[in-house]
Amino acid sequence: MKFTVIGAGLAGCEAAWQIAESGYPVTLIEQKPVRFSPAHKSEYFAELVCSNSLKAARVESAAGLLKEEMARLGSLLVPTARECAVPAGGALAVDRELFSRAVTEKIRRHPLITEAHRVAETVEPADDEILIIATGPLTDGALSDDIRRLCGDYLSFYDAAAPIITADSIDFDKVFGASRYERGGEEDYLNCPLNKAEYEAFIDALIHAEGAVVHDFDVYEGCMPIEKLAKRGLDAPRFGPMKPVGLVDPKTGHRPWACVQLRRENSGGTMFNLVGFQTNLKFGEQKRVFSMIPGLEQAEFVRYGVMHRNSFINAPKLLRADYSLRSNNRIFFAGQITGVEGYMESASSGLLAGINAVRRAEGKESLVLPAVTMTGALAAYISDATVENFQPMGANFGILPPIEPKIRDKKERYAALADRALAALPSVKG
């Protein structure tokens, strides 16, 4: 069986490394330097584009836990990052050129990895081939067209995402469960009621909040940023995503003046999405303004809203938890194109895709990590068929099953979640 990886970013390098370290030859296809995307400038592999930070280092953080799990699973990138670290407080940040060069050198020194510098145009594997597609969120051209052919209508080029918060951080004394006109169960939506004064104060803060950089593309009407909608008129959001019709607050027996609905983001009910709150506000402004919503004063954001161009597949409809395609188990996806968001998140998907490509060739069962691990939880999220309106997700404690009994202190809770994850990892390693 032949192995091919398309894309030498973080996910592709990790995938190729796992295959080669298992004793199999692998071809790593990279379009640089034949062609560069608008975001890439370096000739080296695993180029860090947006930042040199790989987020928190401490194991009691979501990002730190993910990296520790990866290191224990034989990651190439985590130990390389630690070798190239620069002072960054509690974060693992790297000299990005040194890091990319070090990864490239390790890949090139491996006797079982062959580089091929060309622009890939197809994702159709040969009969004796296992293929891993790790081409990133800027995938375009003929390759993008072929992925669309493979995935049908499940390839998105537009990322309009509302914020996601943890269920534990919601003040349930101020919200109520109900669907409009009692269509559906009480658990389908949580509702944050606002009176007239609260609504007008919120709208005033919203329209005066600082936005992120304006992007050079049109916004679809159905994905209108909530702050742009608010600028159309004081009552515009109240006739849009904040409409109170069909809802009765059981505490008052009346319809609220306005209402923000929260929709379950995952099957475990540990995360909720602010319905209709796509936004282009800066992250700090989102935290400040959206915390004015009754019930969300202490909201813990696991992902802020974003508005930008992106390419990612609707993974819950397409992928298994081992990152293979449901319709063809010899094709794997890895990296941000799967809907994992972040440098190390991308690398973690490449790690699992590489391991499972080998296991597929050997006729073994896939390695599916427990959902209590951060690596396993990310894989579970992107392959959870119950997820609707899928949007990319990074490592956060909200995607892990909760600790029972509940630990109220956040620092203690995170430490317990990390301990549980690392205890679960060795029994499934390899």
Side-chain angles (χ1 to χ4, degrees):
M1 186 70 71
K2 297 192 302 185
F3 295 91
T4 302
V5 177
I6 304 178
L10 280 80
C13 286
E14 193 70 80
W17 185 261
Q18 297 304 320
I19 294 168
E21 284 291 277
S22 296
Y24 292 91
V26 56
T27 299
L28 178 60
I29 300 174
E30 170 54 46
Q31 68 175 9
K32 297 188 303 184
V34 178
R35 177 183 174 188
F36 286 82
S37 80
H40 293 87
K41 310 298 180 186
S42 171
E43 64 184 78
Y44 297 116
F45 300 157
E47 181 179 356
L48 304 182
V49 175
C50 299
S51 168
N52 72 328
S53 174
L54 305 179
K55 302 180 184 176
R58 65 188 187 283
V59 177
E60 296 80 13
S61 68
L65 175 59
L66 177 67
K67 289 190 283 289
E68 181 60 24
E69 290 175 2
M70 291 173 61
R72 296 188 184 193
L73 289 167
S75 169
L76 163 68
L77 298 181
V78 172
T80 304
R82 290 170 176 169
E83 293 166 8
C84 303
V86 297
L92 174 59
V94 299
D95 179 315
R96 68 173 83 199
E97 182 175 354
L98 184 62
F99 171 73
S100 295
R101 183 181 298 170
V103 172
T104 304
E105 290 175 353
K106 290 179 180 182
I107 291 287
R108 288 176 173 169
R109 285 200 305 264
H110 203 294
L112 294 178
I113 300 178
T114 300
E115 294 177 48
H117 294 275
R118 66 175 186 269
V119 179
E121 296 184 345
T122 181
V123 291
E124 190 66 39
D127 291 340
D128 61 344
E129 182 181 29
I130 292 179
L131 177 66
I132 298 177
I133 303 163
T135 51
L138 298 179
T139 302
D140 62 4
L143 185 63
S144 174
D145 292 339
D146 205 44
I147 293 174
R148 180 182 288 278
R149 173 195 61 77
L150 179 68
C151 298
D153 294 329
Y154 291 124
L155 179 65
S156 295
F157 293 95
Y158 185 79
D159 190 353
I164 294 174
I165 62 175
T166 63
D168 283 345
S169 66
I170 299 169
D171 186 345
F172 282 85
D173 290 334
K174 295 184 178 181
V175 306
F176 63 95
S179 296
R180 285 195 173 91
Y181 303 109
E182 299 182 350
R183 295 170 182 166
E186 289 187 2
E187 295 182 355
D188 291 352
Y189 290 90
L190 295 179
N191 300 274
C192 305
L194 293 85
N195 60 34
K196 184 177 181 181
E198 291 168 335
Y199 174 78
E200 292 181 352
F202 173 73
I203 295 300
D204 182 69
L206 186 62
I207 63 177
H208 290 100
E210 185 176 1
V213 176
V214 176
H215 299 280
D216 57 350
F217 61 89
D218 293 331
V219 176
Y220 302 137
E221 189 70 20
C223 296
M224 182 67 61
I226 185 65
E227 64 274 13
K228 185 172 182 179
L229 179 63
K231 291 176 182 178
R232 290 182 171 181
L234 177 61
D235 284 329
R238 208 164 67 89
F239 285 88
M242 297 182 71
K243 62 179 178 290
V245 294
L247 295 170
V248 175
D249 185 347
K251 296 182 179 64
T252 65
H254 300 289
R255 187 177 76 179
W257 182 256
C259 193
V260 175
Q261 286 202 304
L262 310 178
R263 181 176 54 225
R264 286 165 63 110
E265 182 66 22
N266 61 344
S267 57
T270 61
M271 298 181 294
F272 282 82
N273 184 298
L274 277 68
V275 179
F277 269 57
Q278 297 85 214
T279 179
N280 203 40
L281 295 182
K282 289 187 173 182
F283 290 175
E285 291 289 77
Q286 292 185 43
K287 171 68 174 175
R288 178 181 68 85
V289 176
F290 297 155
S291 294
M292 296 174 64
I293 298 169
L296 305 190
E297 292 86 353
Q298 303 300 320
E300 181 181 350
F301 290 78
V302 299
R303 190 196 67 196
Y304 288 101
V306 292
M307 302 285 294
H308 59 78
R309 284 199 181 277
N310 206 347
S311 297
F312 61 94
I313 60 175
N314 191 346
K317 301 295 186 290
L318 294 167
L319 299 185
R320 303 180 182 92
D322 63 0
Y323 289 95
S324 69
L325 197 64
R326 296 181 192 272
S327 62
N328 187 336
N329 66 10
R330 290 189 295 110
I331 298 177
F332 291 77
F333 280 84
Q336 289 194 77
I337 198 168
T338 69
V340 295
E341 190 170 57
Y343 288 143
M344 286 293 101
E345 290 86 342
S346 295
S348 75
S349 68
L351 184 151
L352 282 184
I355 289 174
N356 283 314
V358 170
R359 296 177 76 92
R360 179 81 75 248
E362 293 177 343
K364 298 178 180 178
E365 289 187 6
S366 293
L367 174 63
V368 177
L369 299 178
V372 297
T373 66
M374 191 60 66
T375 313
L378 283 169
Y381 176 77
I382 66 95
S383 61
D384 182 354
T386 69
V387 172
E388 300 292 341
N389 305 308
F390 179 67
Q391 289 292 338
M393 178 67 68
N396 67 84
F397 282 119
I399 63 176
L400 299 184
I403 287 281
E404 297 294 347
K406 181 178 178 179
I407 301 173
R408 301 198 67 85
D409 182 82
K410 184 163 70 172
K411 185 176 181 180
E412 293 179 5
R413 183 168 71 250
Y414 287 176
L417 288 168
D419 288 344
R420 182 182 66 177
L422 296 178
L425 195 66
S427 62
V428 295
K429 184 176 178 181

